[in-house]
Structures are given as C-alpha cells and as structure tokens.
Amino acid sequence: MINIKKSIAAAVFIFTALFIFADTNTTDLTKRYLELSQTQLNNGQYGEALNSVTAALKLNENEGIPANVCVIASQVYSKMLSSMKETEDFSRLTEIEGYIDQFPCVADSSVHFKLKEIQELNRLKIEQAQFHSETKLINTVVTAVLAVCVVLVFVFFIVIIGIRRAEKSRQEQTRQFEETLKIVAGMQQTNTQILLGNVTDLQGIGINSLKSAGSSRWGQNALPEPELNDDEKEELKQLAVSCEDLGAKIDSITKRKNNSKNVSELVYKLALNLGCNQNTAMAYFCAAMVYDAGFLAVPEEMLAADVLTEQEKEVIHDHVNKTDDYFNFVPERYIKIFEDAARFHHENEDGSGYPNGLKSNHIPQVSKLIHVAESYSSLVSRRNYKSIMDKESAVEELRSKPEVYDPVVVKALDSIV
C-alpha cells in the first residue's frame, strides 16, 4: 500500500514538473521570437519579422495569445503591409490574409485599412496584367489579319497584272493576224482600266484615361470629361436620388437640418470654381450628400449626449470607417470618390487630423472640399455656436487656420459665398 502511494506521488511530481517546464519553455521561446521580430523590424527586415512574430502567435495559439504578442504582431503586420504597398510586391498577400483570419487580435483598424488598400492595389495589378495580356493578344490577331490582307491584296494585284498581260498578248496576236491577212482596219484598241477607287484614311479617336481620385492637385479631375451617354446620365441621376434619400436619414439622426444639401451644393460650386469638370463636380456633389453615412452606425443616444466618455469619443471618431454597409448602391466607377469623402474629411493639412493623419497633397481633393464646406456650414448655422457668424467672419475663421484647411479651397470659397 505504501509503495502504491509513493508511486502515485512520484507520478504527480513528474507530471507537474513537466507541465511547469513546458510552460516555462513556451514563455521563453515566445520572448525570443518577439525579441527577434523586434530586431528584424528595426532593421527593415519586415518579411523576417513577420515570420518570427507569426511563430510566436502559433506557439501560443492553443493556450491563449498574450497581449504583448498581439501588440507587437499588429506593428509587424502594419509595417509589412506598408512595405508591400511601397514595393508593389503582393506575393505574400494571401499568406497574410490567412494569418489575420487565424489570429484576429493582430488586426486593429489600421491593419484592416491597410489590408483593404493592398487588396485593392493587388486587384488593380491583376486587372492591369490581364488587360496587357488581352491587348497583346488583340495586337497579335490584328497583325495576323493585316498580314493576311496584305497577302490578299498582293495576290489580287498579281492576278490583275496577269489578266492585263494576257489581254495585251491576245491583242498583239490579233493585230499580227490582221496584218497577215492584209486587212487594213482603222480600229483603235481601247484598253479598259480597272479603277481601284480612293483610299480613305481612318483617324483613331483617343480615349482619355481615368485620372486617379485622391490627388489634391486642382485641375486634375477624378472622372473623364467626355459627355456621358444616356445610360450613364440615368445612372448618375439615380445615384443623386439615392444619395439625397440617404443624406436625409443622416441629417435626421444627427439633428442637422439640410446639412447634406448645404454641404453638397457648396462642394459642387467649389469643384467647378477650382477647375474640375462637370462629371467630377457632379460625382463630388453626390458623395458630399452622404459623407457622414458612418454616423448611422453610431447609437443615436451617443450622438445626442452632451458629455462623452473617452470610449464613446473613439466610437464617434470611428464613424469615418463605418460606411461599407451604406455605399452598396454606389456604382464601381464612383466608389473611390465616395470612400475618400467619407473616410478622410477630417484630415488636416498639417497631418493632425484623423483617421490616418494625412498631410496636404496626400489628402483627396473631395475630402478637402467637404472639410471646408462642412466647417463653413457649421460656422454660419446654430448647430455648434451660440450665434450665427456672418459669411465674411466665417471665411476669415477658416483662412486663419491654414494648418487645418487648404488655403486654395478657402480662397475659392471666399469668391463664391
């Protein structure tokens, strides 16, 4: 009996020692992976840092991933995605997407935003490669067709020349035969010429490429200038109607009467004043009606509260990232403008805004217009101020903050209000 108890005690001791050793070994190994990934990250070795921190994540996957591992992993994944954007090397995109699905704790709002950007860039790169491949195929087919046409034309002329030579030979034989018979005939041979007709040159009509939405260089349009066809006009008309309905819902929940109408009309006038074409100005007009769609995802009582906690402030600030569910009616050709309008209208010229801290020319031009138009509308309304500012004072208030508002847009505002 005593021996059995001793055996059980020894087994319990050995199991406990092994468990403690395994846990200590996991902790030490995790620490080494994190230190290695941090060193690699500091040295710009983002791919190696990704491998190291992912190893730390996998090591703790079953027992629960420590907070410090998630924090460092978020930094590494964010740097890796930024590096992919700069180098346009998307070879590890599928791998990173899999890790983010496997370890959701590493994907904060910044990582999600960058991942979406990379996915869009990768999609465009694939489409561009397909376009080049299709263009190459078309060029090959056109070249082959032209070659066949050249051969056919060459054969045609050879046949014509052969026919004319045969005719000339026949006529010569007839003449000699008639001379032999001493028949004098004052016949004149009329040669029939085969007219090939005039050749009409075809002029190719150049097609303007879409200029990228997002540049703040005024005069560079987000949409091409050529006049829209009937289907495109109807599409834009329906888009404006849908935006008006959604804008009314946003104004209702935010208690800002006619805000979407006032801001969108002012954005439209600013766009035209700054050299944007009619197509671009209309797209900006529509996007400016629904730029605050993210507020629909914020609890109404939070929007009406006079005092907010820090957590509630973060929720309201994050409204710029909550528009995906509300823009599903927007056609693909306009979606980039709408996303820029919603996401970046709180960015400041000096980089002090949110959510990305963009500066100056990195801020999309539609976002700059909405930033100025919304602030001006606020200054001349009772929404945020005890008394209404006159137009001149409101413009001067915006002009006094070049670190926040684009001075070029403010100058344009001064000329139209």
Side-chain angles (χ1 to χ4, degrees), residues 347-353 357-360 363 401-405:
E347 298 287 2
N348 296 332
E349 289 295 302
D350 63 355
S352 61
L358 301 181
K359 289 184 179 181
S360 188
I363 303 173
K401 297 179 179 179
E403 73 280 5
V404 177
Y405 308 102

Side-chain angles (χ1 to χ4, degrees), residues 1 62 71 83 134 142 164 216 221 223 253 304 360 397 411:
M1 186 67 178
N62 295 329
V71 170
S83 175
E134 292 171 357
V142 170
R164 295 187 67 178
S216 62
N221 294 292
L223 295 173
I253 196 173
S360 188
E397 174 71 14
K411 183 178 179 181

Side-chain angles (χ1 to χ4, degrees), residues 9-22:
V12 169
F13 175 77
I14 291 172
F15 177 79
T16 302
L18 289 173
F19 179 80
I20 293 173
F21 175 77

Side-chain angles (χ1 to χ4, degrees), residues 71-88:
V71 170
I72 294 177
S74 295
Q75 296 174 357
V76 172
Y77 275 66
S78 180
K79 287 289 187 180
M80 183 62 182
L81 289 171
S82 296
S83 175
M84 290 175 68
K85 180 180 179 181
E86 292 175 1
T87 61
E88 296 187 355

Side-chain angles (χ1 to χ4, degrees), residues 203-269:
Q203 289 185 338
I205 300 175
I207 300 175
N208 295 327
S209 299
L210 284 177
K211 298 173 182 178
S212 60
S215 171
S216 62
R217 295 193 298 276
W218 302 110
Q220 177 170 329
N221 294 292
L223 295 173
E225 177 67 291
E227 184 176 351
L228 303 178
N229 60 39
D230 291 341
D231 290 340
E232 292 169 333
K233 288 179 180 177
E234 181 62 25
E235 179 184 61
L236 190 56
K237 178 181 176 181
Q238 292 302 320
L239 176 62
V241 171
S242 299
C243 289
E244 185 177 4
D245 292 341
L246 183 57
K249 294 178 182 178
I250 298 168
D251 290 350
S252 175
I253 196 173
T254 58
K255 304 298 187 292
R256 298 179 298 181
K257 186 177 180 180
N258 293 328
N259 178 72
S260 62
K261 177 178 179 294
N262 295 336
V263 172
S264 60
E265 289 181 356
L266 194 52
V267 165
Y268 175 77
K269 294 176 183 178

Side-chain angles (χ1 to χ4, degrees), residues 318-337:
D318 198 43
H319 78 278
V320 297
N321 296 315
K322 301 294 185 182
T323 57
D324 290 346
D325 294 336
Y326 305 103
F327 287 167
N328 52 12
F329 66 92
V330 180
E332 181 66 26
R333 76 177 72 191
Y334 300 115
I335 192 65
K336 181 66 167 62
I337 293 175

